[in-house]
Amino acid sequence: QVQLVESGGGLVQPGGSLRLSCAASGSAFSIYSMGWYRQAPGKQRDLVASVSAGGNTNYADSVKGRFTISRDNAKNTVYLQMNSLKAEDTAVYYCNRGRTRGGRYYPDSYWGQGTQVTVSS
């Protein structure tokens, strides 16, 4: 059983920064890809960024140049550094364990509980 626990969300003004963390249980963290998703009210859950087991990263066009995903395998933790935040980044952010094939991220069934990010003045 894998548990994912997100933290680091909160209220921030436009242009501000936040760093989200996702701590994973289990000993096989390093062999899996990890992804960050977000879901705004009334919208579907969308992939924001992913990092493969080898460290390759991919980003949604809407966050390229502003968000950075990274991982620390020694701590079983994946991070999402979010800079230059905009109101449209407001959502619940979820981390996910998955796999990368052909450059595309495929989520497994393991999700965290989510952390709320609100960008507002």
Side-chain angles (χ1 to χ4, degrees):
Q1 186 73 8
V2 175
Q3 287 188 320
L4 303 172
V5 180
E6 300 99 335
S7 61
L11 173 64
V12 63
Q13 292 186 342
S17 298
L18 282 175
R19 188 174 85 152
L20 306 182
S21 300
C22 172
S25 64
S27 59
F29 176 81
S30 63
I31 69 172
Y32 289 98
S33 297
M34 297 295 296
W36 281 99
Y37 285 73
R38 66 185 181 188
Q39 187 169 22
K43 295 189 176 181
Q44 67 180 20
R45 190 174 297 186
D46 291 325
L47 180 64
V48 173
S50 66
V51 57
S52 71
N56 293 318
T57 58
N58 280 289
Y59 299 92
D61 287 343
S62 59
V63 306
K64 279 181 182 176
R66 300 188 299 122
F67 290 11
T68 302
I69 188 171
S70 61
R71 64 191 300 161
D72 185 336
N73 291 336
K75 295 182 179 180
N76 279 17
T77 300
V78 62
Y79 303 98
L80 186 67
Q81 177 67 44
M82 305 186 295
N83 299 328
S84 302
L85 283 161
K86 306 175 181 179
E88 51 263 43
D89 296 317
T90 295
V92 178
Y93 283 72
Y94 299 89
C95 73
N96 170 266
R97 193 190 79 172
R99 303 161 198 270
T100 300
R101 291 194 295 273
R104 181 176 175 179
Y105 181 82
Y106 294 87
D108 285 351
S109 59
Y110 299 104
W111 295 89
Q113 82 289 348
T115 185
Q116 176 71 47
V117 172
T118 303
V119 184
S120 175
S121 55

